[in-house]
Amino acid sequence: HHLDIGNIYSLLNQYSQAEKHFKIAIDLEPENYLAKEFLATIYQNAGSYDKAMEVYRDILQILESDENRDKDNYVSTLKNIGLLNRDLRNFSEAEYYYKKVVEVQKDLFGNKSIEYLNAYTELGSFYFSILKPEEASKVFLRAWTMQSEVKVKDKIKYSSFLRELGRLAMVVGKYNEAESSLIKSLRIKENIIAKRKFSGPNSYNDAQDLSIHYETLASFYESINLKDKAEEYFNKHLKIAKNTYGENS
């Protein structure tokens, strides 16, 4: 009950009220990691990273003590702790959690899975974000080589992986590979929408996802000074934004 009310307040951007109800839900059920996850997200979005970290560590403790833990929530929690440590500039601690995600995904899905390769590519992006371009380049080169062996079971995840790989290629200066990955990622997403018999991005999630694809390609072409291409994809991104959020977006 309080979890649902908290979510409603959160959607209405009434975060103090949302926090109140999430805390009540936790008081009533201390092992309710979903309520704690929502509470941590509020803190994280507000920039209260220390509070968010405390909650995420509590969630991690609950999940690690449960043999039947939700694997997606476990991975998500590890990622959030890594991200928070990065934002707090605790880089060695952040690196530990990014690597932990890679290990967990490998154990769960194997080293030829999209989940593993995506986690590995995110590690490369982390290295670049903390100004370790040589480490980022090593990760990219290995991920680029391994992608030919990947077992594609989920095309949506594959599209997301290719987009992340393209972003990493872009920042380490592998522009041909970046363009190839980003375009392929976009085409897969467009085909998924077409097979759903959509005439366009008729759902909010599809609109958001396509918008991100177009914006990423626009940024890529801008970075290599292909202005016409950059404008083409930026206009596509802008059109979706206007259709989704209104003319003033």
Side-chain angles (χ1 to χ4, degrees):
H1 178 65
H2 286 284
L3 189 62
D4 293 335
I5 294 173
N7 278 325
I8 291 170
Y9 277 122
S10 185
L11 289 170
L12 294 172
N13 297 326
Q14 296 184 27
Y15 297 121
S16 61
Q17 286 295 320
E19 179 185 4
K20 172 185 172 182
H21 285 280
F22 290 145
K23 283 183 172 180
I24 293 173
I26 292 166
D27 287 340
L28 293 171
E29 192 179 351
E31 299 293 296
N32 188 335
Y33 64 82
L34 285 177
K36 292 183 178 185
E37 186 174 11
F38 291 136
L39 179 62
T41 300
I42 286 177
Y43 289 147
Q44 190 171 357
N45 291 340
S48 300
Y49 296 143
D50 289 329
K51 285 184 176 181
M53 182 70 77
E54 183 180 348
V55 178
Y56 278 128
R57 289 194 184 281
D58 193 21
I59 296 170
L60 186 61
Q61 186 176 8
I62 293 171
L63 291 170
E64 288 187 331
S65 64
D66 182 3
E67 292 184 359
N68 298 314
R69 60 177 169 260
D70 184 296
K71 295 179 178 62
D72 288 339
N73 277 309
Y74 181 52
V75 170
S76 175
T77 301
L78 291 171
K79 285 183 178 181
N80 281 319
I81 293 175
L83 181 61
L84 277 173
N85 273 300
R86 188 201 68 181
D87 291 342
L88 289 166
R89 304 186 68 79
N90 299 329
F91 296 141
S92 60
E93 190 80 358
E95 182 181 18
Y96 168 82
Y97 282 99
Y98 275 94
K99 286 183 173 180
K100 181 71 173 176
V101 172
V102 173
E103 292 172 9
V104 170
Q105 298 292 53
K106 183 179 180 180
D107 289 342
L108 289 174
F109 301 102
N111 64 356
K112 295 182 180 179
S113 66
I114 292 296
E115 291 82 2
Y116 167 68
L117 273 183
N118 196 53
Y120 190 67
T121 305
E122 287 174 350
L123 174 64
S125 296
F126 161 71
Y127 281 134
F128 188 83
S129 74
I130 63 169
L131 305 179
K132 287 190 173 182
E134 290 184 5
E135 293 295 327
S137 293
K138 288 177 185 176
V139 170
F140 165 75
L141 290 172
R142 187 177 174 206
W144 184 262
T145 301
M146 288 192 300
Q147 69 164 319
S148 62
E149 301 176 1
V150 76
K151 298 175 182 177
V152 180
K153 295 181 180 179
D154 186 326
K155 289 189 177 181
I156 293 176
K157 288 182 179 180
Y158 186 46
S159 175
S160 296
F161 158 69
L162 287 172
R163 188 171 66 204
E164 187 68 26
L165 184 64
R167 285 171 169 167
L168 180 57
M170 182 168 61
V171 297
V172 300
K174 301 291 184 179
Y175 299 123
N176 289 336
E177 292 89 341
E179 183 178 32
S180 172
S181 291
L182 293 173
I183 291 292
K184 188 174 181 180
S185 174
L186 173 62
R187 296 295 175 254
I188 291 171
K189 183 61 184 179
E190 288 176 333
N191 286 337
I192 290 169
I193 292 174
K195 286 181 179 179
R196 291 177 184 158
K197 303 188 185 302
F198 286 177
S199 58
N202 293 338
S203 78
Y204 180 79
N205 287 338
D206 280 332
Q208 278 194 317
D209 207 18
L210 270 183
S211 181
I212 292 170
H213 275 86
Y214 292 145
E215 186 177 26
T216 303
L217 273 164
S219 297
F220 165 69
Y221 285 123
E222 180 73 24
S223 72
I224 60 174
N225 208 33
L226 290 178
K227 303 294 185 183
D228 290 344
K229 284 279 191 181
E231 185 177 1
E232 174 189 348
Y233 284 101
F234 179 74
N235 285 337
K236 289 182 178 182
H237 157 69
L238 192 61
K239 181 178 179 181
I240 290 178
K242 286 181 177 179
N243 290 339
T244 306
Y245 306 110
E247 291 292 326
N248 295 323
S249 59

